[in-house]
Amino acid sequence: MVRQSERRETTIAAILAAARKLFATEGFEAVSIDDIAAKADVAKGAVYHHFNSKEEIFTRVLEGVQAEIAAQPPSPALRKIADPLDRMAAAILSYLNAATEPGIKRILLIDGPAVIGWRKWREIDDRYFGAGARHAVAVVMGEATPDARLDAVTHAVMGMVMEAALVCATAPDARKTAKEMTAAMRKLLEGLRRPS
């Protein structure tokens, strides 16, 4: 016998999967709750039973996209890189390539900031990538670096990566642009290295 909680989770998963496909191909503005319900093969009332608005559904979809990108394990090649700045640059390039994949970039980089607002968009990004970015900065700058300085540099680095992602999202060749942006950031990041 299927429990109520299992039915609930199945319905929510269907709604989110349908919404993700629609948002990725059509964009947030072009998609209606009716479209999501039809694609998920549920009643419109079922969508509203689980979500208060299309914006709430979009936010959940965007969080899911960020979680997927964050959960990707580092490649064996990335783990072999000895220099922490080169490792950081390789991780940035990996993020830029993932974030600008078709179906992801529209949700994450094009519609995301406009639909949920810049502040919430950055909060979600920080939730998934903030700790890793801070750790990478600490490795480069040294664990003895004061927390306030680590925090400031981490925010600056994350802002730089987000700006690069936004540039890549609208570039004719996102992968080429990602490589160029990563190379430029790698040069800038050299200034973080603690003196030997």
Side-chain angles (χ1 to χ4, degrees), residues 33-47:
I33 294 289
D34 289 324
D35 296 331
I36 294 169
K39 183 88 170 163
D41 198 26
V42 300
K44 183 177 179 178
V47 176

Side-chain angles (χ1 to χ4, degrees), residues 93-105:
L93 179 60
S94 178
Y95 172 80
L96 293 177
N97 285 332
T100 56
E101 282 292 317
I104 291 179
K105 75 177 178 179

Side-chain angles (χ1 to χ4, degrees), residues 14-195:
I15 292 167
L16 292 174
R20 180 172 175 167
K21 288 177 186 170
L22 290 167
F23 291 146
T25 57
E26 307 297 322
F28 177 82
E29 286 298 323
V31 175
S32 69
I33 294 289
D34 289 324
D35 296 331
I36 294 169
K39 183 88 170 163
D41 198 26
V42 300
K44 183 177 179 178
V47 176
Y48 279 115
H49 178 73
H50 297 292
F51 298 96
N52 293 322
S53 66
K54 185 171 76 163
E55 289 79 6
E56 182 182 348
I57 297 169
F58 182 85
T59 302
R60 287 278 302 273
V61 168
L62 187 143
E63 288 222 31
V65 167
Q66 283 286 53
E68 284 176 22
I69 294 171
Q72 291 177 358
S75 69
L78 185 102
R79 287 191 298 249
K80 290 179 183 175
I81 299 171
D83 183 278
L85 282 175
D86 290 340
R87 196 167 45 247
M88 186 187 285
I92 290 169
L93 179 60
S94 178
Y95 172 80
L96 293 177
N97 285 332
T100 56
E101 282 292 317
I104 291 179
K105 75 177 178 179
R106 181 166 205 147
I107 293 168
L108 183 61
L109 302 172
I110 296 171
D111 287 345
V115 173
I116 67 172
W118 183 259
R119 181 180 296 243
K120 179 133 180 103
W121 185 67
R122 290 302 308 252
E123 286 172 5
I124 293 169
D125 184 62
D126 190 50
R127 187 166 42 249
Y128 288 99
F129 298 101
R134 190 177 196 282
H135 173 74
V137 169
V139 168
V140 173
M141 294 182 72
E143 297 294 339
T145 305
D147 283 342
R149 186 157 185 233
L150 281 177
D151 290 341
V153 171
T154 300
H155 285 295
V157 169
M158 288 186 69
M160 185 169 55
V161 173
M162 278 297 96
E163 182 63 23
L166 293 171
V167 169
C168 292
T170 58
D173 185 341
R175 289 202 175 258
K176 179 181 177 199
T177 303
K179 286 180 184 174
E180 291 166 353
M181 296 298 283
T182 301
M185 284 187 277
R186 172 60 182 85
K187 287 181 181 177
L188 291 170
L189 292 170
E190 187 64 40
L192 298 180
R193 197 184 299 273
R194 64 178 176 254

